[in-house]
Amino acid sequence: MLNLERLRTLDALARHGSVSGAAEGLHITTSAVSQQMSKLEREVGQQLLAKNGRGVRLTDAGRLLAEHAARILSQVELAQSDLEAQRGQVVGELRLSAFPTAARGLFPAALAALRAQHPALRIRSCELEPESGIAGVIRGDLDLAVVLDWYNKPMPLPDGLVKAPILDDPADVALPAGHRLADRAEVDLAEFAEDEWITWGEGEFCHEWLMFTLRSKGIEPIVGHRAAETHTQLGLVAAGLGVCIAPVLGREPMPSEVVTIPLKQRVRRHVYVVWRADADRRPSIRAAVQALKAAAEKLG
């Protein structure tokens, strides 16, 4: 009989491509990964890993078994989901992530409500950018991820995932209080052609959206500073170092030296939650989605 935990380790190795990546995804040590793989090789009587420079790679037998492992683990998750659904109880462990402003704006109320309503449910949460959250759900490291896309730039959703909308989040421009446009009722992005932008990290989805949006208006952005965290961006704005996009969700408290002004384009982020289709019937998934929606409704 093949050991399920060892198959899970092999699957993690295949998905992450390294022992350290598998260990991080499984929340175990690299030594434990190596031990599990050694035991699995003895069980199947074949070499599953081969040295590859300083790392390892899967042998042909390893890749073949990893393909079966992925299918087996998916079937196990379906069975667990069906059993939970048949029992109708919100139990077990739920692992979820959200991008930082959603973690700040939604998680406190949503996770507190889940704990109060379902004390037998163990909740583990973390902050992750949307792409990393989706990857975590696909790998099985997470059960749910709160992610986003923008009104003019949707994020592709990989096959095998299900999503539910949580809220639409309007975004303004944040300006230093002494900025030339600070007394306006609304502004156009084209009016910031000469301003320095404070944006997200290179390659992040929100940064790529801002570059795409400004360039679509004939503006070549001047990027002065980068910061992943909204409050860091707002702190830089408060110091007079540039302007930034400031979605409403999770941005309070605002620095007194910063003014936010709506855009004529009515910029919005679409916030939603994703999970694997094979876990769709789990009562804990449904309870978490409802808690997130309830938390969003309280925000108005």
Side-chain angles (χ1 to χ4, degrees), residues 1 71 74 139 157 198 229 261 281 289:
M1 292 289 290
R71 290 193 291 271
S74 178
R139 290 195 304 266
L157 193 67
I198 298 161
E229 240 289 338
I261 303 177
R281 296 187 64 199
V289 172

Side-chain angles (χ1 to χ4, degrees), residues 25-70:
L26 294 169
H27 307 290
I28 59 177
T29 65
T30 54
S31 175
V33 171
S34 299
Q35 290 172 17
Q36 291 278 41
M37 290 305 301
S38 295
K39 291 176 182 178
L40 185 58
E41 287 182 328
R42 288 198 295 271
E43 283 179 353
V44 300
Q46 294 192 61
Q47 184 180 359
L48 302 176
L49 296 179
K51 289 190 177 298
N52 184 29
R54 290 188 173 182
V56 296
R57 62 173 176 81
L58 293 179
T59 63
D60 289 345
R63 285 194 297 272
L64 177 64
L65 186 56
E67 291 173 3
H68 284 289

Side-chain angles (χ1 to χ4, degrees), residues 101 104 227-237 249-255:
T101 51
R104 185 186 309 117
E229 240 289 338
T230 296
H231 281 176
T232 305
Q233 293 185 8
L234 292 173
L236 294 169
V237 173
L249 179 64
R251 77 183 183 193
E252 298 297 335
M254 292 286 296

Side-chain angles (χ1 to χ4, degrees), residues 50-149:
K51 289 190 177 298
N52 184 29
R54 290 188 173 182
V56 296
R57 62 173 176 81
L58 293 179
T59 63
D60 289 345
R63 285 194 297 272
L64 177 64
L65 186 56
E67 291 173 3
H68 284 289
R71 290 193 291 271
I72 290 167
L73 293 170
S74 178
Q75 286 298 314
V76 169
E77 178 145 29
L78 277 171
Q80 291 173 335
S81 179
D82 285 346
L83 283 170
E84 280 190 33
Q86 195 272 339
R87 209 169 32 175
Q89 296 177 348
V90 181
V91 296
E93 182 174 90
L94 192 70
R95 302 155 299 168
L96 64 167
S97 74
F99 57 94
T101 51
R104 185 186 309 117
L106 295 173
F107 271 7
L111 302 189
L114 276 173
R115 173 176 286 183
Q117 294 165 11
H118 308 290
L121 180 66
R122 297 186 304 278
I123 304 167
R124 302 287 181 267
S125 71
C126 63
E127 287 187 0
L128 287 176
E129 292 299 327
E131 302 96 326
S132 298
I134 287 175
V137 172
I138 291 171
R139 290 195 304 266
D141 300 337
L142 296 168
D143 300 301
L144 291 152
V146 179
V147 299
L148 65 89
D149 57 25

Side-chain angles (χ1 to χ4, degrees), residues 143-288:
D143 300 301
L144 291 152
V146 179
V147 299
L148 65 89
D149 57 25
W150 292 86
Y151 73 104
N152 61 340
K153 192 174 177 64
M155 177 178 283
L157 193 67
D159 292 340
L161 298 187
V162 179
K163 73 176 183 178
I166 300 300
L167 79 159
D168 277 355
D169 184 29
D172 305 320
V173 175
L175 319 172
H179 192 277
R180 68 186 187 281
L181 302 175
D183 61 348
R184 294 275 293 276
E186 62 179 15
V187 289
D188 191 290
L189 279 173
E191 296 180 271
F192 297 95
E194 303 304 319
D195 284 271
E196 283 195 40
W197 282 93
I198 298 161
T199 180
W200 297 267
E202 184 74 38
E204 288 189 17
F205 182 71
C206 288
H207 170 78
E208 297 302 321
W209 163 79
L210 181 59
M211 299 299 101
F212 166 80
T213 302
L214 291 172
R215 286 168 180 154
S216 70
K217 296 184 172 298
I219 302 169
E220 184 53 39
I222 304 169
V223 176
H225 306 278
R226 302 179 188 275
E229 240 289 338
T230 296
H231 281 176
T232 305
Q233 293 185 8
L234 292 173
L236 294 169
V237 173
L241 297 173
V243 302
C244 75
I245 295 293
V248 171
L249 179 64
R251 77 183 183 193
E252 298 297 335
M254 292 286 296
S256 59
E257 305 89 347
V258 174
V259 173
T260 57
I261 303 177
L263 284 157
K264 292 178 182 178
Q265 293 86 355
R266 296 297 183 261
V267 171
R268 288 181 176 273
R269 304 189 296 185
H270 306 304
V271 179
Y272 52 97
V273 60
V274 301
W275 63 94
R276 293 183 300 281
D278 54 16
D280 196 39
R281 296 187 64 199
R282 286 178 59 188
S284 56
I285 296 283
R286 299 186 179 196

